[in-house]
Amino acid sequence: MAEETEGPVKRTRVVAVRLTEQEHAAWSAAAAEAGSGRLGTWVRTTMAGLLNGHRATPARPGPPPEVAALRAELARVGNNLNQAVRAANVSGLDRVSSAELVARVDAAEAVMGQIREALRS
């Protein structure tokens, strides 16, 4: 039986879970849909609910599966963009190639922003 304490609970144990990019995107989307700002908090809350015999319910109704899938895909695209830019920085692209990459990433971000806004509607 857990002992009750006053004040914030100090968590000292760490649990590591390896995920694929798709799993991470899906978990992150589910956490966001549940209104959780942090993936770890969502996992802890969800597991606590399961251990107590009930599913954790989202703070608000979730989007249709198609929207959740699009959000997960956007997360993957964003991750790929970050990896491409990081690789470009490490490889030391010339100035012309760097400018072209920046322009393409900016264009992709603009399109992703439009998609995000459409998904929010």
mmCIF file of all heavy atoms in Angstrom, residues 7-57:
data_model
loop_
_atom_site.group_PDB
_atom_site.id
_atom_site.type_symbol
_atom_site.label_atom_id
_atom_site.label_comp_id
_atom_site.label_asym_id
_atom_site.label_seq_id
_atom_site.Cartn_x
_atom_site.Cartn_y
_atom_site.Cartn_z
ATOM 1 N N GLY A 7 2.922 17.377 -0.341
ATOM 2 C CA GLY A 7 3.757 18.019 -1.333
ATOM 3 C C GLY A 7 3.906 17.176 -2.585
ATOM 4 O O GLY A 7 3.310 16.111 -2.714
ATOM 5 N N PRO A 8 4.732 17.648 -3.500
ATOM 6 C CA PRO A 8 4.897 16.937 -4.766
ATOM 7 C C PRO A 8 5.604 15.595 -4.569
ATOM 8 O O PRO A 8 6.435 15.431 -3.686
ATOM 9 C CB PRO A 8 5.748 17.879 -5.617
ATOM 10 C CG PRO A 8 6.351 18.851 -4.670
ATOM 11 C CD PRO A 8 5.498 18.869 -3.432
ATOM 12 N N VAL A 9 5.236 14.648 -5.419
ATOM 13 C CA VAL A 9 5.839 13.323 -5.364
ATOM 14 C C VAL A 9 7.138 13.359 -6.162
ATOM 15 O O VAL A 9 7.170 13.830 -7.293
ATOM 16 C CB VAL A 9 4.886 12.265 -5.964
ATOM 17 C CG1 VAL A 9 5.547 10.908 -6.019
ATOM 18 C CG2 VAL A 9 3.594 12.219 -5.178
ATOM 19 N N LYS A 10 8.211 12.866 -5.547
ATOM 20 C CA LYS A 10 9.494 12.823 -6.243
ATOM 21 C C LYS A 10 9.597 11.478 -6.955
ATOM 22 O O LYS A 10 9.582 10.429 -6.317
ATOM 23 C CB LYS A 10 10.646 13.003 -5.271
ATOM 24 C CG LYS A 10 11.985 13.024 -5.975
ATOM 25 C CD LYS A 10 13.112 13.320 -5.019
ATOM 26 C CE LYS A 10 14.408 13.354 -5.792
ATOM 27 N NZ LYS A 10 15.532 13.619 -4.910
ATOM 28 N N ARG A 11 9.685 11.538 -8.267
ATOM 29 C CA ARG A 11 9.818 10.311 -9.057
ATOM 30 C C ARG A 11 11.290 10.088 -9.336
ATOM 31 O O ARG A 11 11.953 10.938 -9.915
ATOM 32 C CB ARG A 11 9.015 10.438 -10.340
ATOM 33 C CG ARG A 11 7.526 10.472 -10.080
ATOM 34 C CD ARG A 11 6.726 10.493 -11.364
ATOM 35 N NE ARG A 11 5.325 10.294 -11.109
ATOM 36 C CZ ARG A 11 4.464 11.265 -10.828
ATOM 37 N NH1 ARG A 11 4.884 12.515 -10.786
ATOM 38 N NH2 ARG A 11 3.204 10.997 -10.590
ATOM 39 N N THR A 12 11.780 8.920 -8.951
ATOM 40 C CA THR A 12 13.209 8.641 -9.101
ATOM 41 C C THR A 12 13.495 7.506 -10.074
ATOM 42 O O THR A 12 14.647 7.285 -10.439
ATOM 43 C CB THR A 12 13.832 8.288 -7.736
ATOM 44 O OG1 THR A 12 13.162 7.141 -7.215
ATOM 45 C CG2 THR A 12 13.705 9.465 -6.774
ATOM 46 N N ARG A 13 12.474 6.771 -10.483
ATOM 47 C CA ARG A 13 12.679 5.620 -11.361
ATOM 48 C C ARG A 13 12.396 6.027 -12.807
ATOM 49 O O ARG A 13 11.454 6.753 -13.085
ATOM 50 C CB ARG A 13 11.745 4.471 -10.980
ATOM 51 C CG ARG A 13 11.908 3.997 -9.541
ATOM 52 C CD ARG A 13 13.298 3.454 -9.256
ATOM 53 N NE ARG A 13 13.617 2.360 -10.149
ATOM 54 C CZ ARG A 13 13.869 1.148 -9.784
ATOM 55 N NH1 ARG A 13 13.885 0.828 -8.504
ATOM 56 N NH2 ARG A 13 14.143 0.218 -10.659
ATOM 57 N N VAL A 14 13.228 5.529 -13.732
ATOM 58 C CA VAL A 14 13.079 5.824 -15.160
ATOM 59 C C VAL A 14 12.797 4.519 -15.887
ATOM 60 O O VAL A 14 13.453 3.508 -15.642
ATOM 61 C CB VAL A 14 14.359 6.473 -15.736
ATOM 62 C CG1 VAL A 14 14.238 6.660 -17.238
ATOM 63 C CG2 VAL A 14 14.643 7.786 -15.040
ATOM 64 N N VAL A 15 11.820 4.557 -16.789
ATOM 65 C CA VAL A 15 11.498 3.413 -17.631
ATOM 66 C C VAL A 15 11.731 3.839 -19.071
ATOM 67 O O VAL A 15 11.174 4.834 -19.523
ATOM 68 C CB VAL A 15 10.031 2.968 -17.438
ATOM 69 C CG1 VAL A 15 9.685 1.842 -18.395
ATOM 70 C CG2 VAL A 15 9.784 2.574 -15.998
ATOM 71 N N ALA A 16 12.574 3.105 -19.767
ATOM 72 C CA ALA A 16 12.870 3.444 -21.162
ATOM 73 C C ALA A 16 12.108 2.503 -22.094
ATOM 74 O O ALA A 16 12.051 1.298 -21.852
ATOM 75 C CB ALA A 16 14.366 3.331 -21.433
ATOM 76 N N VAL A 17 11.530 3.067 -23.131
ATOM 77 C CA VAL A 17 10.804 2.291 -24.128
ATOM 78 C C VAL A 17 11.285 2.749 -25.492
ATOM 79 O O VAL A 17 11.284 3.940 -25.789
ATOM 80 C CB VAL A 17 9.280 2.532 -24.016
ATOM 81 C CG1 VAL A 17 8.528 1.764 -25.084
ATOM 82 C CG2 VAL A 17 8.775 2.174 -22.638
ATOM 83 N N ARG A 18 11.715 1.817 -26.321
ATOM 84 C CA ARG A 18 12.121 2.153 -27.680
ATOM 85 C C ARG A 18 10.908 2.047 -28.588
ATOM 86 O O ARG A 18 10.159 1.085 -28.527
ATOM 87 C CB ARG A 18 13.225 1.224 -28.160
ATOM 88 C CG ARG A 18 14.521 1.433 -27.418
ATOM 89 C CD ARG A 18 15.633 0.608 -28.052
ATOM 90 N NE ARG A 18 16.844 0.744 -27.311
ATOM 91 C CZ ARG A 18 17.743 1.701 -27.522
ATOM 92 N NH1 ARG A 18 17.552 2.587 -28.445
ATOM 93 N NH2 ARG A 18 18.840 1.756 -26.788
ATOM 94 N N LEU A 19 10.734 3.070 -29.443
ATOM 95 C CA LEU A 19 9.609 3.119 -30.359
ATOM 96 C C LEU A 19 10.098 3.329 -31.779
ATOM 97 O O LEU A 19 11.147 3.936 -31.988
ATOM 98 C CB LEU A 19 8.677 4.288 -29.997
ATOM 99 C CG LEU A 19 8.107 4.325 -28.587
ATOM 100 C CD1 LEU A 19 7.377 5.634 -28.352
ATOM 101 C CD2 LEU A 19 7.182 3.152 -28.360
ATOM 102 N N THR A 20 9.312 2.872 -32.735
ATOM 103 C CA THR A 20 9.586 3.228 -34.125
ATOM 104 C C THR A 20 9.137 4.669 -34.319
ATOM 105 O O THR A 20 8.426 5.235 -33.475
ATOM 106 C CB THR A 20 8.803 2.324 -35.098
ATOM 107 O OG1 THR A 20 7.404 2.575 -34.923
ATOM 108 C CG2 THR A 20 9.119 0.852 -34.891
ATOM 109 N N GLU A 21 9.520 5.272 -35.431
ATOM 110 C CA GLU A 21 9.067 6.635 -35.732
ATOM 111 C C GLU A 21 7.540 6.686 -35.775
ATOM 112 O O GLU A 21 6.925 7.618 -35.268
ATOM 113 C CB GLU A 21 9.646 7.120 -37.065
ATOM 114 C CG GLU A 21 11.130 7.379 -37.032
ATOM 115 C CD GLU A 21 11.519 8.500 -36.079
ATOM 116 O OE1 GLU A 21 10.746 9.458 -35.902
ATOM 117 O OE2 GLU A 21 12.612 8.415 -35.502
ATOM 118 N N GLN A 22 6.937 5.650 -36.365
ATOM 119 C CA GLN A 22 5.481 5.615 -36.489
ATOM 120 C C GLN A 22 4.818 5.486 -35.112
ATOM 121 O O GLN A 22 3.822 6.155 -34.836
ATOM 122 C CB GLN A 22 5.039 4.447 -37.392
ATOM 123 C CG GLN A 22 5.415 4.621 -38.840
ATOM 124 C CD GLN A 22 6.865 4.258 -39.134
ATOM 125 O OE1 GLN A 22 7.579 3.660 -38.324
ATOM 126 N NE2 GLN A 22 7.339 4.634 -40.316
ATOM 127 N N GLU A 23 5.371 4.631 -34.261
ATOM 128 C CA GLU A 23 4.820 4.485 -32.914
ATOM 129 C C GLU A 23 4.946 5.790 -32.135
ATOM 130 O O GLU A 23 3.993 6.221 -31.469
ATOM 131 C CB GLU A 23 5.537 3.365 -32.156
ATOM 132 C CG GLU A 23 5.228 1.977 -32.662
ATOM 133 C CD GLU A 23 6.147 0.913 -32.093
ATOM 134 O OE1 GLU A 23 7.314 1.230 -31.744
ATOM 135 O OE2 GLU A 23 5.703 -0.241 -32.002
ATOM 136 N N HIS A 24 6.106 6.425 -32.230
ATOM 137 C CA HIS A 24 6.309 7.690 -31.513
ATOM 138 C C HIS A 24 5.328 8.744 -31.997
ATOM 139 O O HIS A 24 4.732 9.464 -31.192
ATOM 140 C CB HIS A 24 7.754 8.180 -31.678
ATOM 141 C CG HIS A 24 8.043 9.390 -30.863
ATOM 142 N ND1 HIS A 24 7.921 10.665 -31.360
ATOM 143 C CD2 HIS A 24 8.422 9.526 -29.566
ATOM 144 C CE1 HIS A 24 8.210 11.526 -30.413
ATOM 145 N NE2 HIS A 24 8.529 10.869 -29.312
ATOM 146 N N ALA A 25 5.139 8.829 -33.308
ATOM 147 C CA ALA A 25 4.197 9.802 -33.863
ATOM 148 C C ALA A 25 2.780 9.514 -33.378
ATOM 149 O O ALA A 25 2.046 10.433 -32.996
ATOM 150 C CB ALA A 25 4.268 9.795 -35.389
ATOM 151 N N ALA A 26 2.397 8.234 -33.374
ATOM 152 C CA ALA A 26 1.048 7.867 -32.928
ATOM 153 C C ALA A 26 0.859 8.164 -31.443
ATOM 154 O O ALA A 26 -0.179 8.700 -31.031
ATOM 155 C CB ALA A 26 0.784 6.394 -33.224
ATOM 156 N N TRP A 27 1.850 7.826 -30.616
ATOM 157 C CA TRP A 27 1.753 8.104 -29.182
ATOM 158 C C TRP A 27 1.696 9.606 -28.933
ATOM 159 O O TRP A 27 0.917 10.074 -28.108
ATOM 160 C CB TRP A 27 2.937 7.499 -28.427
ATOM 161 C CG TRP A 27 2.921 6.014 -28.267
ATOM 162 C CD1 TRP A 27 2.320 5.086 -29.078
ATOM 163 C CD2 TRP A 27 3.553 5.268 -27.232
ATOM 164 N NE1 TRP A 27 2.557 3.826 -28.609
ATOM 165 C CE2 TRP A 27 3.307 3.899 -27.475
ATOM 166 C CE3 TRP A 27 4.328 5.634 -26.137
ATOM 167 C CZ2 TRP A 27 3.793 2.892 -26.653
ATOM 168 C CZ3 TRP A 27 4.816 4.619 -25.315
ATOM 169 C CH2 TRP A 27 4.540 3.276 -25.563
ATOM 170 N N SER A 28 2.530 10.359 -29.641
ATOM 171 C CA SER A 28 2.544 11.813 -29.470
ATOM 172 C C SER A 28 1.204 12.419 -29.867
ATOM 173 O O SER A 28 0.693 13.321 -29.194
ATOM 174 C CB SER A 28 3.666 12.429 -30.298
ATOM 175 O OG SER A 28 4.917 11.999 -29.811
ATOM 176 N N ALA A 29 0.644 11.932 -30.970
ATOM 177 C CA ALA A 29 -0.663 12.432 -31.412
ATOM 178 C C ALA A 29 -1.736 12.104 -30.373
ATOM 179 O O ALA A 29 -2.585 12.937 -30.053
ATOM 180 C CB ALA A 29 -1.022 11.845 -32.775
ATOM 181 N N ALA A 30 -1.693 10.890 -29.829
ATOM 182 C CA ALA A 30 -2.678 10.495 -28.810
ATOM 183 C C ALA A 30 -2.536 11.357 -27.555
ATOM 184 O O ALA A 30 -3.540 11.771 -26.967
ATOM 185 C CB ALA A 30 -2.516 9.016 -28.468
ATOM 186 N N ALA A 31 -1.304 11.638 -27.169
ATOM 187 C CA ALA A 31 -1.082 12.485 -25.990
ATOM 188 C C ALA A 31 -1.618 13.889 -26.233
ATOM 189 O O ALA A 31 -2.273 14.476 -25.369
ATOM 190 C CB ALA A 31 0.408 12.528 -25.649
ATOM 191 N N ALA A 32 -1.358 14.433 -27.422
ATOM 192 C CA ALA A 32 -1.847 15.770 -27.750
ATOM 193 C C ALA A 32 -3.370 15.793 -27.771
ATOM 194 O O ALA A 32 -3.999 16.737 -27.268
ATOM 195 C CB ALA A 32 -1.285 16.216 -29.102
ATOM 196 N N GLU A 33 -3.982 14.756 -28.331
ATOM 197 C CA GLU A 33 -5.442 14.687 -28.388
ATOM 198 C C GLU A 33 -6.046 14.595 -26.992
ATOM 199 O O GLU A 33 -7.155 15.059 -26.760
ATOM 200 C CB GLU A 33 -5.875 13.487 -29.222
ATOM 201 C CG GLU A 33 -5.588 13.671 -30.693
ATOM 202 C CD GLU A 33 -5.687 12.374 -31.477
ATOM 203 O OE1 GLU A 33 -6.278 11.398 -30.961
ATOM 204 O OE2 GLU A 33 -5.160 12.339 -32.595
ATOM 205 N N ALA A 34 -5.317 13.989 -26.061
ATOM 206 C CA ALA A 34 -5.794 13.859 -24.681
ATOM 207 C C ALA A 34 -5.545 15.135 -23.883
ATOM 208 O O ALA A 34 -5.918 15.219 -22.721
ATOM 209 C CB ALA A 34 -5.122 12.666 -24.003
ATOM 210 N N GLY A 35 -4.875 16.108 -24.506
ATOM 211 C CA GLY A 35 -4.612 17.370 -23.819
ATOM 212 C C GLY A 35 -3.357 17.353 -22.973
ATOM 213 O O GLY A 35 -3.144 18.245 -22.163
ATOM 214 N N SER A 36 -2.516 16.345 -23.145
ATOM 215 C CA SER A 36 -1.276 16.257 -22.375
ATOM 216 C C SER A 36 -0.156 16.945 -23.139
ATOM 217 O O SER A 36 0.062 16.675 -24.310
ATOM 218 C CB SER A 36 -0.906 14.798 -22.120
ATOM 219 O OG SER A 36 0.305 14.733 -21.405
ATOM 220 N N GLY A 37 0.554 17.802 -22.464
ATOM 221 C CA GLY A 37 1.662 18.508 -23.100
ATOM 222 C C GLY A 37 2.931 17.688 -23.190
ATOM 223 O O GLY A 37 3.814 17.985 -23.969
ATOM 224 N N ARG A 38 3.019 16.621 -22.400
ATOM 225 C CA ARG A 38 4.242 15.811 -22.377
ATOM 226 C C ARG A 38 3.895 14.350 -22.561
ATOM 227 O O ARG A 38 2.981 13.822 -21.927
ATOM 228 C CB ARG A 38 4.981 16.015 -21.065
ATOM 229 C CG ARG A 38 5.429 17.467 -20.886
ATOM 230 C CD ARG A 38 6.183 17.623 -19.635
ATOM 231 N NE ARG A 38 7.318 16.703 -19.662
ATOM 232 C CZ ARG A 38 8.438 16.879 -19.028
ATOM 233 N NH1 ARG A 38 8.586 17.946 -18.297
ATOM 234 N NH2 ARG A 38 9.409 16.000 -19.079
ATOM 235 N N LEU A 39 4.653 13.698 -23.422
ATOM 236 C CA LEU A 39 4.412 12.293 -23.717
ATOM 237 C C LEU A 39 4.560 11.430 -22.472
ATOM 238 O O LEU A 39 3.737 10.553 -22.206
ATOM 239 C CB LEU A 39 5.362 11.819 -24.826
ATOM 240 C CG LEU A 39 5.195 10.387 -25.304
ATOM 241 C CD1 LEU A 39 3.771 10.113 -25.778
ATOM 242 C CD2 LEU A 39 6.184 10.089 -26.410
ATOM 243 N N GLY A 40 5.594 11.675 -21.665
ATOM 244 C CA GLY A 40 5.815 10.882 -20.457
ATOM 245 C C GLY A 40 4.653 10.981 -19.484
ATOM 246 O O GLY A 40 4.243 9.982 -18.878
ATOM 247 N N THR A 41 4.105 12.177 -19.334
ATOM 248 C CA THR A 41 2.956 12.368 -18.448
ATOM 249 C C THR A 41 1.757 11.583 -18.955
ATOM 250 O O THR A 41 1.053 10.929 -18.186
ATOM 251 C CB THR A 41 2.611 13.869 -18.349
ATOM 252 O OG1 THR A 41 3.759 14.560 -17.846
ATOM 253 C CG2 THR A 41 1.425 14.108 -17.442
ATOM 254 N N TRP A 42 1.535 11.617 -20.273
ATOM 255 C CA TRP A 42 0.424 10.881 -20.862
ATOM 256 C C TRP A 42 0.584 9.376 -20.644
ATOM 257 O O TRP A 42 -0.373 8.694 -20.268
ATOM 258 C CB TRP A 42 0.307 11.204 -22.350
ATOM 259 C CG TRP A 42 -0.722 10.390 -23.052
ATOM 260 C CD1 TRP A 42 -2.075 10.588 -23.043
ATOM 261 C CD2 TRP A 42 -0.494 9.230 -23.851
ATOM 262 N NE1 TRP A 42 -2.695 9.630 -23.801
ATOM 263 C CE2 TRP A 42 -1.750 8.772 -24.303
ATOM 264 C CE3 TRP A 42 0.648 8.533 -24.223
ATOM 265 C CZ2 TRP A 42 -1.882 7.651 -25.116
ATOM 266 C CZ3 TRP A 42 0.510 7.424 -25.038
ATOM 267 C CH2 TRP A 42 -0.747 6.994 -25.474
ATOM 268 N N VAL A 43 1.807 8.861 -20.847
ATOM 269 C CA VAL A 43 2.046 7.428 -20.656
ATOM 270 C C VAL A 43 1.771 7.055 -19.207
ATOM 271 O O VAL A 43 1.077 6.070 -18.923
ATOM 272 C CB VAL A 43 3.483 7.032 -21.068
ATOM 273 C CG1 VAL A 43 3.818 5.613 -20.640
ATOM 274 C CG2 VAL A 43 3.674 7.205 -22.569
ATOM 275 N N ARG A 44 2.289 7.835 -18.253
ATOM 276 C CA ARG A 44 2.095 7.542 -16.834
ATOM 277 C C ARG A 44 0.607 7.583 -16.476
ATOM 278 O O ARG A 44 0.098 6.684 -15.797
ATOM 279 C CB ARG A 44 2.888 8.527 -15.969
ATOM 280 C CG ARG A 44 2.858 8.178 -14.505
ATOM 281 C CD ARG A 44 3.775 9.036 -13.642
ATOM 282 N NE ARG A 44 3.653 10.456 -13.884
ATOM 283 C CZ ARG A 44 4.593 11.191 -14.491
ATOM 284 N NH1 ARG A 44 5.717 10.657 -14.896
ATOM 285 N NH2 ARG A 44 4.419 12.488 -14.665
ATOM 286 N N THR A 45 -0.127 8.581 -16.947
ATOM 287 C CA THR A 45 -1.554 8.704 -16.655
ATOM 288 C C THR A 45 -2.351 7.564 -17.279
ATOM 289 O O THR A 45 -3.235 6.980 -16.641
ATOM 290 C CB THR A 45 -2.077 10.055 -17.183
ATOM 291 O OG1 THR A 45 -1.337 11.103 -16.568
ATOM 292 C CG2 THR A 45 -3.553 10.238 -16.880
ATOM 293 N N THR A 46 -2.024 7.238 -18.516
ATOM 294 C CA THR A 46 -2.725 6.154 -19.203
ATOM 295 C C THR A 46 -2.491 4.825 -18.498
ATOM 296 O O THR A 46 -3.425 4.048 -18.264
ATOM 297 C CB THR A 46 -2.274 6.072 -20.676
ATOM 298 O OG1 THR A 46 -2.566 7.330 -21.305
ATOM 299 C CG2 THR A 46 -2.984 4.961 -21.420
ATOM 300 N N MET A 47 -1.247 4.555 -18.136
ATOM 301 C CA MET A 47 -0.931 3.300 -17.457
ATOM 302 C C MET A 47 -1.584 3.246 -16.076
ATOM 303 O O MET A 47 -2.082 2.201 -15.661
ATOM 304 C CB MET A 47 0.580 3.107 -17.341
ATOM 305 C CG MET A 47 1.246 2.777 -18.658
ATOM 306 S SD MET A 47 0.501 1.352 -19.505
ATOM 307 C CE MET A 47 0.669 0.076 -18.278
ATOM 308 N N ALA A 48 -1.594 4.355 -15.362
ATOM 309 C CA ALA A 48 -2.243 4.381 -14.044
ATOM 310 C C ALA A 48 -3.722 4.059 -14.201
ATOM 311 O O ALA A 48 -4.285 3.298 -13.399
ATOM 312 C CB ALA A 48 -2.050 5.742 -13.383
ATOM 313 N N GLY A 49 -4.359 4.592 -15.236
ATOM 314 C CA GLY A 49 -5.768 4.293 -15.488
ATOM 315 C C GLY A 49 -5.982 2.828 -15.798
ATOM 316 O O GLY A 49 -6.925 2.202 -15.294
ATOM 317 N N LEU A 50 -5.113 2.251 -16.614
ATOM 318 C CA LEU A 50 -5.232 0.830 -16.939
ATOM 319 C C LEU A 50 -5.047 -0.045 -15.703
ATOM 320 O O LEU A 50 -5.769 -1.024 -15.503
ATOM 321 C CB LEU A 50 -4.217 0.439 -18.014
ATOM 322 C CG LEU A 50 -4.489 0.982 -19.415
ATOM 323 C CD1 LEU A 50 -3.307 0.707 -20.336
ATOM 324 C CD2 LEU A 50 -5.759 0.384 -19.980
ATOM 325 N N LEU A 51 -4.074 0.310 -14.877
ATOM 326 C CA LEU A 51 -3.820 -0.475 -13.663
ATOM 327 C C LEU A 51 -4.962 -0.361 -12.656
ATOM 328 O O LEU A 51 -5.179 -1.259 -11.853
ATOM 329 C CB LEU A 51 -2.499 -0.046 -13.020
ATOM 330 C CG LEU A 51 -1.251 -0.401 -13.836
ATOM 331 C CD1 LEU A 51 -0.017 0.233 -13.211
ATOM 332 C CD2 LEU A 51 -1.083 -1.910 -13.954
ATOM 333 N N ASN A 52 -5.694 0.736 -12.711
ATOM 334 C CA ASN A 52 -6.839 0.926 -11.821
ATOM 335 C C ASN A 52 -8.124 0.363 -12.424
ATOM 336 O O ASN A 52 -9.208 0.579 -11.897
ATOM 337 C CB ASN A 52 -7.024 2.405 -11.477
ATOM 338 C CG ASN A 52 -5.943 2.903 -10.547
ATOM 339 O OD1 ASN A 52 -5.504 2.178 -9.664
ATOM 340 N ND2 ASN A 52 -5.497 4.132 -10.743
ATOM 341 N N GLY A 53 -8.003 -0.323 -13.562
ATOM 342 C CA GLY A 53 -9.151 -1.006 -14.130
ATOM 343 C C GLY A 53 -10.008 -0.201 -15.079
ATOM 344 O O GLY A 53 -11.099 -0.619 -15.420
ATOM 345 N N HIS A 54 -9.537 0.947 -15.512
ATOM 346 C CA HIS A 54 -10.318 1.704 -16.489
ATOM 347 C C HIS A 54 -9.390 2.444 -17.437
ATOM 348 O O HIS A 54 -8.247 2.737 -17.098
ATOM 349 C CB HIS A 54 -11.283 2.681 -15.812
ATOM 350 C CG HIS A 54 -10.618 3.584 -14.809
ATOM 351 N ND1 HIS A 54 -9.847 4.656 -15.143
ATOM 352 C CD2 HIS A 54 -10.618 3.536 -13.451
ATOM 353 C CE1 HIS A 54 -9.398 5.242 -14.053
ATOM 354 N NE2 HIS A 54 -9.836 4.590 -13.006
ATOM 355 N N ARG A 55 -9.894 2.701 -18.612
ATOM 356 C CA ARG A 55 -9.106 3.432 -19.598
ATOM 357 C C ARG A 55 -9.127 4.909 -19.271
ATOM 358 O O ARG A 55 -10.151 5.446 -18.857
ATOM 359 C CB ARG A 55 -9.698 3.256 -21.002
ATOM 360 C CG ARG A 55 -9.289 1.969 -21.652
ATOM 361 C CD ARG A 55 -9.724 1.956 -23.074
ATOM 362 N NE ARG A 55 -8.942 2.928 -23.825
ATOM 363 C CZ ARG A 55 -9.100 3.165 -25.097
ATOM 364 N NH1 ARG A 55 -10.007 2.546 -25.780
ATOM 365 N NH2 ARG A 55 -8.353 4.045 -25.720
ATOM 366 N N ALA A 56 -8.000 5.545 -19.496
ATOM 367 C CA ALA A 56 -7.952 6.999 -19.352
ATOM 368 C C ALA A 56 -8.756 7.601 -20.499
ATOM 369 O O ALA A 56 -8.625 7.188 -21.636
ATOM 370 C CB ALA A 56 -6.515 7.488 -19.400
ATOM 371 N N THR A 57 -9.615 8.552 -20.177
ATOM 372 C CA THR A 57 -10.422 9.163 -21.221
ATOM 373 C C THR A 57 -9.817 10.494 -21.624
ATOM 374 O O THR A 57 -9.293 11.227 -20.787
ATOM 375 C CB THR A 57 -11.872 9.384 -20.744
ATOM 376 O OG1 THR A 57 -11.828 10.163 -19.550
ATOM 377 C CG2 THR A 57 -12.564 8.067 -20.452
#
